[in-house]
Amino acid sequence: MKISADFTMIPDVFAKQAGPEYQAAGVPVVSFPFYVDDVAPEAQYLHWTFTDPDSIPVCGFEWIHWTVANLPIAALMYDFNDSHALQIPPDFSRQMVAMIPEALQGRTSQASPFVGGTDPAATMRYNGPQPPDKDHDYYLHVYATKKPLAGLNGGFWMNELVHALRDANAAGDVPDQDAIFLTGKA
């Protein structure tokens, strides 16, 4: 598998400088597009985490910006004339619920009791980069499995996703994964 995007610096519309029409509860909520190429042929489902390791010195933990589980690869649009046949489109986080209801999104760090967010548009979907101190490097890690991950429901926590991936891996069901870093402007 190979994960890529058309940028290395996350464009403003998906991050801190997003206009008010692209925000909920003061948080950017329009997810960025990316490509998933060369997926193992036996893979049927995608799962991912999008986190900010550079937030640790700022808030004491790695900020969770977006988690997705059990996205059927067959439900995504393919363009076999495109060099990137499999694309996660812009604003997928807000559209996914209607487009692919069997796929799940987890909670972001905005849902933490220490932060106090309550708007599901910011706490259970994409939560765009807003680095307060300097540019941050964000980590997008995508996994592929043959079967959906067991035991997850909408609004899962990232640790539940990690445990489900560990269990799938132990059963020989994580045939593919890749990750990239993208930069968010302060």
Side-chain angles (χ1 to χ4, degrees):
M1 174 188 307
K2 183 175 188 307
I3 305 305
S4 63
D6 289 333
F7 49 83
T8 55
M9 181 73 70
I10 300 170
D12 289 345
V13 71
F14 309 116
K16 190 175 189 174
Q17 300 303 320
E21 67 274 23
Y22 303 118
Q23 295 185 25
V27 175
V29 292
V30 175
S31 58
F32 59 86
F34 63 93
Y35 303 105
V36 182
D37 295 310
D38 303 323
V39 180
E42 65 272 19
Q44 299 296 313
Y45 293 89
L46 295 177
H47 324 273
W48 63 80
T49 61
F50 180 61
T51 61
D52 177 8
D54 287 339
S55 69
I56 295 169
V58 177
C59 65
F61 57 90
E62 184 172 8
W63 193 272
I64 303 162
H65 284 272
W66 193 17
T67 53
V68 171
N70 297 340
L71 174 63
I73 292 173
L76 295 170
M77 302 208 28
Y78 286 85
D79 179 357
F80 292 105
N81 296 316
D82 188 341
S83 62
H84 297 294
L86 185 57
Q87 178 181 202
I88 304 303
D91 205 15
F92 185 68
S93 177
R94 293 192 301 175
Q95 298 171 14
M96 190 177 89
V97 175
M99 289 173 44
I100 311 169
E102 64 270 33
L104 305 170
Q105 294 187 79
R107 289 184 178 102
T108 67
S109 290
Q110 196 73 29
S112 164
F114 299 113
V115 177
T118 57
D119 185 344
T123 62
M124 291 186 31
R125 292 191 180 93
Y126 174 83
N127 179 300
Q130 299 183 54
D133 58 336
K134 61 182 180 178
D135 291 355
H136 284 201
D137 288 328
Y138 294 81
Y139 188 62
L140 174 64
H141 194 152
V142 181
Y143 306 83
T145 58
K146 298 175 215 168
K147 299 176 186 172
L149 299 175
L152 297 177
N153 296 304
F156 61 85
W157 290 101
M158 189 171 117
N159 67 307
E160 295 174 294
L161 174 62
V162 170
H163 292 299
L165 285 163
R166 179 193 61 201
D167 293 345
N169 192 48
D173 188 23
V174 181
D176 221 345
Q177 61 180 301
D178 191 31
I180 59 171
F181 280 99
L182 299 168
T183 303
K185 292 185 278 189

